[in-house]
Structures are given as C-alpha cells and as structure tokens.
Amino acid sequence: MANEEPPRPSPPPIETQEVTHPDEYIIEFTGPYSFRVPNSIDEEQREAAYTVVLDDVEAELRLGESEGGKSAFKGGGAASFPRDRHGLLLNQTVQIHLSEDYIAALPEGIEEPVYEDMILGSRTTGLHERLINDSVEYYNRFIECYKVVTESYWMRAVIPNEVLNFTIRKVKDGDIIDETSVGLSGGMLQMGTISPEQDGALRKNLQEENNVTMSRQLDLDIQDKMDLGEYTIAVYNSNQLFEFWTRREYLKMLKAKGKTKQEAEDRMWDSGSDQYHHIKTMYDMIESDIGVDIKNTTEWELWYTHCRDTRNELVHEGRRAEEIDAIYAYYYTRKAMKEFKKRFVDAFN
C-alpha cells in the first residue's frame, strides 16, 4: 500500500538573495546551561575549545564564563547550579565556529534570508535556518556528552525557539565582515485575553477535578514533545493515546448496550495476564460486541504500521525515533480516532 503523506504547513514566503560564503561563520547565543569547563570564547583561550563532530563534519564549540541569570552570581569562573533547567540562575555564552569543512558540506543553491520578523511569527529560512539549526545540534551533542560524563540528569536538548536570539557573524581573513541578529518565535504574537468560551471552560475545569480528559492531556503532550524534538516519547505517547481512547470508547459503547461500568471493565480486562486485552484483541471484541469491523480498514493498517510497529521497533531494537516517525505516528493516530469515532457513532444510529 502506498504511504499517505500527512499534510505539512508551508513556511511564509520570504525575500532571499544569493549567498557568497565567508571563510567562517560564527553563531553566538546564550545557552540555558552553565557547564563547568574552561572559558574558551577569547581567541587566546582557543585551545580550551571543544571539537564536536556530527555526520563527519567538525565544528568548534566555545563557551564563556558562567554568568548570573537571576542569581547574584556575577561570573568570573566555571560554576553551575544542579537542576537549573532554564538558565534562571546561571547561563553561558556559546559560540559555534563553522569553517571550511562545514561550508563545503552546505548544499548548492542555498539562499540567504533578508528579512525576519519575530512579532509576526516569520521563521528564518534558507542559510540562516540551516546555520541556526545546525549550531543548536552541535550544542545539543555537547549537552548529551557532558550530561553523561557528569551525570547531570536534568540537562536536555534545546530547540532554537528556546534560545530565541542568535548572532550570525561572517569572518573573512580573520576579520568580522558582517554581523546579523536573528530573533525566532514559535508563532505569531497572541494579544488580548482568551475568549469568553475558553474562560468559561477554564473556570469549569478548575472546579471539576476530573473534567480534563487523559486523551486531551496526552494529545497536547505529544505536540509538546514533537516541538521539543523528543520524538521517541512522542511515538510512545501516540500509541498510548490511541489505546486509552479505544478503551474509553469501548467502555461507553458497552454501557450503551446495557452493561454496568464494572461489567464493561471486566469485559476489557484480561484476568490471565492481569492487564487490559491487547489492542488487536480489543478490536476483535468490539467487532463481536458492537458489530463494527475496524481491523480491515485502511486507517487501522496505517495506524498499526506507522504507530504500533514503530513503537515496537523503538522498544525492542533500542533505536531513537526521528522526526518523521513522530509525525506519522501522531498523524495516523488522530486520523484513525476520527474515522473510528464516526463508525462507532453510526453503529448506534
């Protein structure tokens, strides 16, 4: 069966111009962590810089001294506060130096953006996007290795929108010939209070402890994990969302058929394994009890292939999910839920 591609939003159009590459690009930003390593920002301290390799391409990572975020620490050395996840107490200037090998690996025809607008939510494209994303990837690789060596469990990879502000410098013959500041946002600026309907729902949910469904929480959590680049967790949660939603819908249909809540729960529970029935068995039971055949649908096949099978690969083969894995798992989970809900409703009409 041919893969059905989930829709992807197109970035806004942006004015571009052809690129003339310098000898080196330097991308500078303030990282959310403070690493207890020597200062290597200044040229005379360059020997303390770190060489980071990704896809066989080297970059030089330099770090400044620890600086106070909202703490009283004024810098002047290497320091860190455990569990300071957002750089509120200490942070650090980061420089990623991208030179000959990196520039040679850039694709031909890449264009340089002329205009970015953080307030309107425009995202930088072309060369700037590539430089920023790659620099953050090099930074994340450093985080990954430092985290393991120092057992700093609270550290995690960051995304460009969390860093927010970047400075891109072009270096030619040892001199800075151009400097551009780039600000990123996650979308358009939202102004004004939430709608009366949203405010009413918020007030109601705050007073009713069980009014926020697990399905809705899982759905939003998947979107958050995808935005953070935590694709493996997004796949796991997509599978969990579908299975939880299935049990909830099956319970509602069994009760509509006249069973008590306890009888419905007992029907879904596999006493032999002391857990809920496997998802395949659950849908066999739905066909038997409700008369809705789900397992012979395209939506079921696509969900099982792109969510369940992917989840099993991640668990049993120990690989990490890529972005496309998370996109497909979430997309086909939502698609299956929408189609199956329609079929369940039709079965009672």
XYZ file of all heavy atoms in Angstrom, residues 221-255:
306
model
N 0.426 16.735 25.108
C 1.785 16.335 25.479
C 2.559 15.843 24.259
O 3.758 16.115 24.129
C 1.734 15.237 26.543
C 3.093 14.991 27.173
O 3.732 15.974 27.585
O 3.519 13.823 27.245
N 1.897 15.142 23.354
C 2.542 14.685 22.118
C 3.008 15.884 21.302
O 4.142 15.924 20.810
C 1.579 13.827 21.284
C 1.264 12.510 22.012
C 2.184 13.516 19.906
C 0.061 11.781 21.439
N 2.143 16.873 21.159
C 2.516 18.069 20.399
C 3.714 18.771 21.038
O 4.607 19.275 20.344
C 1.326 19.014 20.321
C 0.142 18.453 19.530
C -1.030 19.409 19.507
O -0.906 20.567 19.091
N -2.185 18.952 19.961
N 3.735 18.805 22.372
C 4.853 19.434 23.083
C 6.144 18.663 22.836
O 7.185 19.262 22.558
C 4.534 19.480 24.578
C 5.655 20.107 25.395
O 6.102 21.216 25.028
O 6.088 19.492 26.380
N 6.091 17.335 22.936
C 7.296 16.523 22.729
C 7.809 16.653 21.302
O 9.027 16.677 21.072
C 7.015 15.057 23.052
C 6.612 14.790 24.496
C 7.607 15.356 25.485
C 7.176 15.077 26.922
N 8.031 15.800 27.905
N 6.922 16.750 20.342
C 7.348 16.920 18.958
C 8.028 18.269 18.765
O 9.039 18.390 18.071
C 6.153 16.769 18.021
C 5.625 15.345 17.940
S 4.124 15.193 16.940
C 4.758 15.539 15.313
N 7.490 19.308 19.407
C 8.085 20.640 19.303
C 9.472 20.673 19.943
O 10.374 21.360 19.458
C 7.171 21.666 19.972
C 7.662 23.094 19.790
O 7.907 23.485 18.635
O 7.816 23.806 20.792
N 9.653 19.896 21.013
C 10.933 19.851 21.716
C 11.932 18.905 21.060
O 13.089 18.835 21.482
C 10.718 19.417 23.172
C 10.000 20.411 24.082
C 9.696 19.775 25.439
C 10.836 21.676 24.269
N 11.483 18.188 20.045
C 12.369 17.238 19.385
C 12.503 15.926 20.135
O 13.409 15.135 19.847
N 11.634 15.665 21.093
C 11.657 14.406 21.847
C 10.753 13.403 21.135
O 9.671 13.033 21.599
C 11.222 14.656 23.294
C 12.164 15.601 24.029
C 11.723 15.934 25.444
O 10.724 15.356 25.918
O 12.370 16.783 26.086
N 11.232 12.962 19.977
C 10.403 12.205 19.048
C 10.071 10.803 19.556
O 8.986 10.284 19.271
C 11.087 12.133 17.686
C 11.383 13.497 17.108
C 12.676 13.858 16.730
C 10.368 14.445 16.966
C 12.944 15.117 16.217
C 10.624 15.703 16.458
C 11.925 16.027 16.086
O 12.187 17.276 15.586
N 10.984 10.175 20.280
C 10.710 8.832 20.797
C 9.531 8.859 21.767
O 8.620 8.030 21.679
C 11.958 8.267 21.505
O 13.020 8.151 20.548
C 11.676 6.896 22.104
N 9.525 9.828 22.681
C 8.418 9.943 23.632
C 7.122 10.263 22.894
O 6.048 9.777 23.260
C 8.728 11.011 24.691
C 9.982 10.631 25.486
C 7.548 11.196 25.643
C 10.415 11.660 26.505
N 7.199 11.067 21.834
C 6.004 11.403 21.055
C 5.392 10.157 20.434
O 4.157 10.004 20.390
C 6.347 12.424 19.974
N 6.218 9.232 19.954
C 5.709 7.983 19.384
C 5.073 7.131 20.476
O 3.970 6.602 20.309
C 6.834 7.198 18.683
C 6.329 5.811 18.252
C 7.336 7.953 17.457
N 5.770 6.993 21.614
C 5.195 6.224 22.724
C 3.835 6.775 23.126
O 2.867 6.029 23.337
C 6.122 6.287 23.946
C 7.429 5.549 23.821
C 8.497 5.853 24.662
C 7.623 4.544 22.874
C 9.704 5.183 24.564
C 8.831 3.874 22.768
C 9.874 4.206 23.614
O 11.064 3.543 23.520
N 3.764 8.093 23.264
C 2.529 8.718 23.721
C 1.420 8.635 22.689
O 0.234 8.606 23.036
C 2.779 10.170 24.116
C 3.549 10.288 25.419
O 3.870 9.282 26.054
N 3.852 11.500 25.834
N 1.767 8.617 21.395
C 0.749 8.437 20.353
C 0.111 7.062 20.475
O -1.113 6.912 20.366
C 1.381 8.606 18.962
O 1.794 9.935 18.741
N 0.938 6.060 20.719
C 0.410 4.707 20.920
C -0.459 4.652 22.172
O -1.557 4.068 22.169
C 1.571 3.720 21.044
C 1.102 2.286 21.155
O 0.876 1.613 20.158
N 0.966 1.788 22.368
N 0.009 5.283 23.249
C -0.764 5.310 24.493
C -2.091 6.037 24.301
O -3.127 5.607 24.811
C 0.049 5.986 25.600
C -0.641 5.978 26.958
C 0.136 6.742 28.018
O 1.137 7.395 27.739
N -0.329 6.676 29.261
N -2.060 7.145 23.567
C -3.279 7.905 23.307
C -4.317 7.040 22.609
O -5.492 7.009 23.000
C -2.961 9.133 22.448
C -4.159 9.906 21.870
C -5.036 10.449 22.990
C -3.673 11.042 20.964
N -3.897 6.317 21.573
C -4.848 5.505 20.802
C -5.437 4.390 21.671
O -6.640 4.137 21.635
C -4.154 4.911 19.580
C -5.079 4.126 18.698
C -5.974 4.771 17.849
C -5.066 2.740 18.717
C -6.838 4.050 17.045
C -5.933 2.013 17.906
C -6.812 2.672 17.071
N -4.586 3.726 22.451
C -5.082 2.623 23.273
C -5.999 3.131 24.383
O -7.034 2.513 24.669
C -3.914 1.834 23.855
C -3.094 1.128 22.785
C -2.242 -0.001 23.338
O -2.484 -0.410 24.509
O -1.368 -0.493 22.615
N -5.658 4.247 25.008
C -6.519 4.808 26.046
C -7.852 5.243 25.459
O -8.916 4.980 26.029
C -5.823 5.999 26.721
C -6.663 6.658 27.780
C -6.674 6.165 29.076
C -7.448 7.758 27.473
C -7.462 6.763 30.056
C -8.239 8.359 28.442
C -8.246 7.855 29.738
N -7.791 5.918 24.301
C -9.019 6.370 23.644
C -9.900 5.185 23.274
O -11.130 5.228 23.427
C -8.647 7.164 22.393
C -9.821 7.613 21.587
C -10.572 8.741 21.760
C -10.397 6.929 20.454
N -11.578 8.809 20.813
C -11.483 7.716 20.003
C -10.085 5.748 19.790
C -12.273 7.326 18.911
C -10.872 5.362 18.706
C -11.949 6.149 18.280
N -9.295 4.103 22.793
C -10.052 2.902 22.420
C -10.794 2.338 23.628
O -11.988 2.017 23.546
C -9.118 1.826 21.839
O -8.565 2.291 20.604
C -9.879 0.525 21.578
N -10.102 2.210 24.746
C -10.751 1.662 25.944
C -11.894 2.555 26.401
O -12.971 2.057 26.787
C -9.724 1.503 27.071
C -8.698 0.423 26.828
C -7.982 0.025 28.107
N -7.296 1.140 28.735
C -6.046 1.478 28.481
N -5.346 0.794 27.577
N -5.477 2.488 29.105
N -11.690 3.849 26.348
C -12.746 4.772 26.770
C -13.974 4.653 25.879
O -15.121 4.601 26.352
C -12.223 6.213 26.753
C -13.175 7.226 27.390
C -12.733 8.640 27.150
N -12.787 8.997 25.735
C -12.465 10.172 25.246
N -12.035 11.122 26.041
N -12.558 10.420 23.959
N -13.747 4.598 24.555
C -14.869 4.476 23.622
C -15.566 3.130 23.770
O -16.804 3.053 23.721
C -14.368 4.657 22.184
C -13.903 6.064 21.858
C -15.002 7.103 21.990
O -16.117 6.847 21.488
O -14.755 8.153 22.600
N -14.807 2.062 23.950
C -15.379 0.725 24.120
C -16.221 0.678 25.392
O -17.332 0.118 25.414
C -14.248 -0.299 24.164
C -14.673 -1.750 24.115
C -15.917 -2.148 23.633
C -13.805 -2.751 24.565
C -16.286 -3.479 23.580
C -14.166 -4.089 24.529
C -15.402 -4.439 24.040
O -15.768 -5.770 23.988
N -15.712 1.280 26.461
C -16.462 1.334 27.719
C -17.790 2.043 27.529
O -18.842 1.564 27.993
C -15.619 2.053 28.772
C -16.264 2.256 30.154
C -16.421 0.921 30.867
C -15.415 3.211 31.008
N -17.767 3.168 26.830
C -19.004 3.925 26.592
C -19.996 3.108 25.768
O -21.200 3.113 26.037
C -18.681 5.240 25.882
C -18.036 6.262 26.801
C -17.370 7.428 26.141
C -17.950 7.947 24.888
N -17.226 9.136 24.365
N -19.494 2.378 24.770
C -20.397 1.583 23.923
C -20.964 0.389 24.678
O -22.142 0.038 24.501
C -19.663 1.123 22.663
C -19.361 2.258 21.703
S -18.647 1.712 20.115
C -17.008 1.162 20.628
N -20.167 -0.247 25.528
C -20.671 -1.361 26.324
C -21.753 -0.893 27.295
O -22.770 -1.582 27.502
C -19.531 -2.029 27.081
C -18.551 -2.863 26.247
C -17.374 -3.321 27.098
C -19.249 -4.077 25.618
N -21.544 0.273 27.889
C -22.558 0.818 28.787
C -23.828 1.162 28.030
O -24.938 0.976 28.539
C -22.006 2.043 29.506
C -20.916 1.705 30.532
C -20.226 2.934 31.078
C -21.143 3.775 31.909
N -20.442 4.938 32.526
